Amino acid sequence: MKQLIAYFSRADENYFGGQMKYVEVGNTEIAAQKLQKLTGADLFRIEMKRPYSPEYKKCVAEAVKDKKENARPELAGFPESIGDYDEIFLGYPSYCGTMPMAVFTFLEHFDFSGKKIRPFCTNEGSGMGTSVEDIRKLCPGAEVEDGLSIHGSHVQECDELLKEWEAR
């Protein structure tokens, strides 16, 4: 079985358990890299052509605006194809109760019919939100699992959690 880990992650100023902290690598990227070590899956980073602000509050305002407008931000690129992949791990931080609009852009670019999508979301307690339902709507021909919520402040210690989830 061929696997892909497609993920959106954000570094810079982030929210961690009630305080702001600057990070060079985003929580979702850390989780994606840990998952890649477990599975040997190919990695693809979903990146916006024009990223949100590195300042947390400005980033939130931009994300809220995109969500309200149901925007589809332009991406820096896409994998050439997902045709060879049977299983796609889809990682993202929780944005506005769902996934970042850039992930919507990514999902709408491909036909996921016949694929298994396994979502994982980093957050500070908000959980998966409506993201799994949103993925199911965007990818009607795919088998979409319920997903895994990872507490971002504890992403460095999520190895066992990922191992148990991946083995399901």
Side-chain angles (χ1 to χ4, degrees):
M1 174 181 358
K2 190 149 168 125
Q3 299 171 311
L4 172 69
I5 302 166
Y7 70 95
F8 179 94
S9 191
R10 183 179 175 281
D12 301 321
E13 186 181 44
N14 272 301
Y15 178 82
F16 290 88
Q19 60 183 335
M20 300 300 171
K21 189 165 100 177
Y22 180 86
V23 294
E24 295 205 15
V25 180
N27 294 330
T28 308
E29 183 170 357
I30 291 168
Q33 290 171 347
K34 288 175 177 287
L35 187 58
Q36 198 274 333
K37 285 180 185 166
L38 275 172
T39 62
D42 294 338
L43 269 177
F44 178 79
R45 182 180 175 133
I46 301 167
E47 296 181 80
M48 294 169 54
K49 198 167 193 173
R50 285 185 293 291
Y52 291 138
S53 172
E55 293 178 41
Y56 182 78
K57 287 184 179 182
K58 285 183 183 177
C59 171
V60 168
E62 293 165 341
V64 166
K65 180 178 183 283
D66 277 357
K67 172 94 169 42
K68 282 183 181 173
E69 294 175 358
N70 202 27
R72 297 298 186 266
E74 189 176 352
L75 301 185
F78 294 92
E80 216 172 278
S81 168
I82 61 161
D84 291 341
Y85 296 105
D86 305 296
E87 187 170 64
I88 292 99
F89 294 97
L90 183 66
Y92 46 88
S94 178
Y95 273 31
C96 307
T98 187
M99 56 198 166
M101 299 312 289
V103 179
F104 283 73
T105 303
F106 177 81
L107 292 174
E108 290 175 345
H109 185 79
F110 295 106
D111 178 2
F112 287 88
S113 295
K115 309 287 182 194
K116 180 188 274 191
I117 300 175
R118 301 185 70 188
F120 63 98
C121 172
T122 57
N123 59 82
E124 284 301 299
S126 60
M128 303 291 290
T130 62
S131 63
V132 174
E133 294 84 16
D134 293 336
I135 295 166
R136 287 183 176 131
K137 287 177 194 165
L138 292 166
C139 307
E143 176 190 340
V144 181
E145 291 192 356
D146 287 340
L148 176 67
S149 176
I150 301 168
H151 203 271
S153 297
H154 305 290
V155 73
Q156 294 292 354
E157 302 91 39
C158 76
D159 299 71
E160 197 58 39
L161 181 66
L162 283 169
K163 189 176 182 180
E164 289 171 17
W165 176 68
E166 187 277 327
R168 290 192 296 172

